[in-house]
Amino acid sequence: MSLRVVPLLLRGDPARAPNVTHAVSILVSAKRILAARKLFARTHRDLDPKSKTLIANIILHGYLNRPHSQNARLVRHILRTKAFLEAEYAVVSDQVTTNIVIKALLQRPAFLDATRVRTVFDHLVRCGYPAGGTPAAVVPFGTRAAAIPGGLRLPAPAPPTSFNKHIRPLYKMFIKAFYLRGDIHAAKTVVGILQREAAAAAYELAKRNHARRLGRVRKARKSGAG
């Protein structure tokens, strides 16, 4: 979509969340992230928390598509930008933010070797991400909490709330990252965890569906009796 649309989106109500979100998305797609950030700076006080998080994630994800970004500088910049948006605009990072940060780390094999990827995965488990029924105190790869290269430290991630939206895509990123680095054992370990979590999610969904059906039956019976 043309950049000419951006002023039109902001003409009527420049603080209207959908308009700002759409305008930021257009600017980021056009690789004008600085302009997107300036727009966010002008409008963030009038935006609701959910919209601010969405816009922040659009901006952060835009950095992943920058050319010549295969280095530690990009990861450091994303983490700094995330911290800035949280501090200055009261952005509350969510599970999508976590996935963006992890994607930035994992797509650079030269920056993060297989051992460090294991450390990152264990970090997530310690912070509440599922490990196929294993307690969080017993991390899958037995690594110690440690800094990643360049002195960077991983922020505490937002806890996952959806298997399909957050856990599945994130764990698939880890599986791909381990295979790319030749760590077949680690890849298969995460595959096993993902399979157990998928089964658990399917079981919980079946329970909820069953409970809803029972609720509808009881409601229908009460209506009939009345």
Side-chain angles (χ1 to χ4, degrees):
M1 187 176 292
S2 172
L3 289 174
R4 296 175 182 174
V5 177
V6 173
L8 296 176
L9 289 170
L10 303 176
R11 180 176 297 172
D13 184 359
R16 187 168 177 265
N19 290 357
V20 176
T21 303
H22 196 182
V24 167
S25 182
I26 292 171
L27 290 169
V28 170
S29 297
K31 303 187 186 306
R32 296 190 56 189
I33 300 180
L34 181 58
R37 289 184 62 168
K38 287 181 178 179
L39 174 58
F40 192 20
R42 292 202 311 268
T43 59
H44 75 274
R45 291 183 181 85
D46 300 310
L47 299 172
D48 62 276
K50 186 175 180 180
S51 296
K52 288 197 290 187
T53 298
L54 175 59
I55 291 170
N57 286 339
I58 292 171
I59 291 171
L60 291 174
H61 193 268
Y63 287 115
L64 294 177
N65 299 321
R66 276 186 163 184
H68 313 299
S69 61
Q70 300 295 319
N71 51 56
R73 184 179 299 176
L74 174 75
V75 179
R76 188 176 291 108
H77 185 68
I78 287 177
L79 290 175
R80 280 202 300 257
T81 302
K82 173 180 176 293
F84 175 84
L85 297 177
E86 291 170 343
E88 297 297 321
Y89 305 154
V91 169
V92 178
S93 295
D94 63 1
Q95 299 80 10
V96 175
T97 316
T98 297
N99 285 19
I100 291 170
V101 172
I102 298 301
K103 184 177 180 179
L105 289 168
L106 298 185
Q107 69 183 15
R108 289 155 182 81
F111 174 62
L112 212 66
D113 62 17
T115 300
R116 293 292 187 179
V117 175
R118 288 183 175 214
T119 300
V120 173
F121 191 86
D122 282 353
H123 170 77
L124 292 176
V125 172
R126 289 189 184 95
C127 292
Y129 275 68
T134 304
V138 184
V139 291
F141 300 115
T143 65
R144 295 182 178 180
I148 55 179
L152 299 174
R153 288 200 172 273
L154 291 170
T161 57
S162 169
F163 174 77
N164 288 322
K165 291 181 180 179
H166 308 135
I167 297 171
R168 188 195 298 274
L170 181 64
Y171 284 19
K172 283 187 174 182
M173 280 196 283
F174 274 99
I175 293 167
K176 180 180 178 180
F178 282 127
Y179 275 123
L180 286 175
R181 290 160 176 80
D183 193 341
I184 309 303
H185 175 73
K188 290 183 176 180
T189 297
V190 181
V191 167
I193 291 172
L194 187 57
Q195 289 173 340
R196 292 194 294 276
E197 291 301 324
Y203 175 72
E204 290 299 322
L205 178 61
K207 278 206 313 184
R208 289 195 298 271
N209 289 339
H210 180 65
R212 280 195 290 267
R213 285 195 297 270
L214 287 179
R216 287 195 294 267
V217 169
R218 293 192 187 101
K219 186 176 180 180
R221 286 175 178 171
K222 288 181 180 179
S223 298

